[in-house]
Amino acid sequence: MPCNASTRSQATGGQQLLIERTLVVSSILLPIPSRDFDPTEVAVSWKILTQHGHRVVFVTPDGRPGSCDPIMLSGIGLDPWSGIPVLRNIRILGLLLSANADARNAYTEMLRDPAFDGPIRWDRVASKDFDALLLGGGHRARGMREYLESAVLQRIIAEFFADEKPVAAICHGVLLAARSKRVDGRSVLYGRKTTALP
């Protein structure tokens, strides 16, 4: 559950000023596939959350650190001519669609985080131990399929929705949420509004 902490300070000069600041620290579950997650969606989210004092817990299918989609990190392979060896490293779309410098820096920082380096296995997660859920996305079917089709993750997501805990989903994360079913068999997103890529 969130941890509350208050701080007070007193101004000098004859007047007393009481400042109270409450910091709510949450434990946020962040499942990722073994490979091909989007470095921007996962690393930038991780960085913002940890900078605000939240604890991010990574979970992967096998309990080993995941790896991002290398194409999204470098941009090489996103241009139509990427299959031509001489032209492979000429990036136009690749520069526009790949992770920018801030995202690459966040990814490098995230790789050093002990939480990223020592994730929990998907099947060892109890939703009751977390305050919120963040679902990132990715791009390549070879790695994302295990994430999008995981019955374990779909069960966990359904539990978060049933408990009315905050759930954030980016890109393909929305698809994973849509595939998660309530006890009545309907998607957890049934009757809700969300955004996603077409």
Side-chain angles (χ1 to χ4, degrees):
M1 300 311 313
C3 171
N4 294 318
S6 296
T7 58
R8 297 179 182 182
S9 67
Q10 186 174 349
T12 58
Q15 294 183 335
Q16 289 189 350
L17 177 64
L18 179 65
I19 299 172
E20 190 163 319
R21 183 175 150 229
T22 302
L23 173 66
V24 177
V25 177
S26 297
S27 181
I28 300 169
L29 183 64
L30 180 49
I32 57 173
S34 298
R35 61 183 182 172
D36 295 334
F37 64 83
D38 186 287
T40 300
E41 296 165 5
V42 172
V44 172
S45 298
W46 162 84
K47 184 169 183 165
I48 291 169
L49 290 167
T50 56
Q51 282 178 335
H52 284 88
H54 300 291
R55 183 175 72 99
V56 175
V57 177
F58 291 92
V59 292
T60 60
D62 56 8
R64 292 189 299 214
S67 60
C68 77
D69 181 347
I71 291 174
M72 295 311 296
L73 203 55
S74 70
I76 297 172
L78 292 172
D79 291 289
W81 52 84
S82 295
I84 304 169
V86 177
L87 302 176
R88 179 172 175 75
N89 292 330
I90 299 173
R91 295 175 294 152
I92 295 174
L93 290 175
L95 289 175
L96 295 172
L97 299 175
S98 65
N100 66 20
D102 290 337
R104 289 191 307 272
N105 290 336
Y107 181 70
T108 300
E109 290 176 42
M110 184 181 74
L111 292 176
R112 293 190 299 263
D113 183 353
F116 181 82
D117 195 42
I120 300 170
R121 284 176 39 154
W122 288 347
D123 60 0
R124 294 190 180 151
V125 170
S127 62
K128 67 177 179 56
D129 296 333
F130 299 93
D131 304 306
L133 174 66
L134 172 60
L135 304 169
H139 297 93
R140 297 172 81 182
R142 67 178 192 164
M144 290 301 294
R145 186 170 285 123
E146 69 181 346
Y147 175 77
L148 297 173
E149 297 176 357
S150 170
V152 173
L153 289 182
Q154 291 171 15
R155 175 190 51 80
I156 292 167
I157 292 164
E159 291 171 1
F160 270 89
F161 274 89
D163 293 340
E164 298 182 1
K165 292 181 178 180
V167 176
I170 305 168
C171 195
H172 280 87
V174 176
L175 177 58
L176 178 55
R179 290 179 173 180
S180 303
K181 306 289 184 199
R182 303 184 315 204
V183 292
D184 66 4
R186 290 185 166 155
S187 169
V188 295
L189 297 182
Y190 178 80
R192 299 175 183 262
K193 290 184 180 182
T194 185
T195 59
L197 295 172

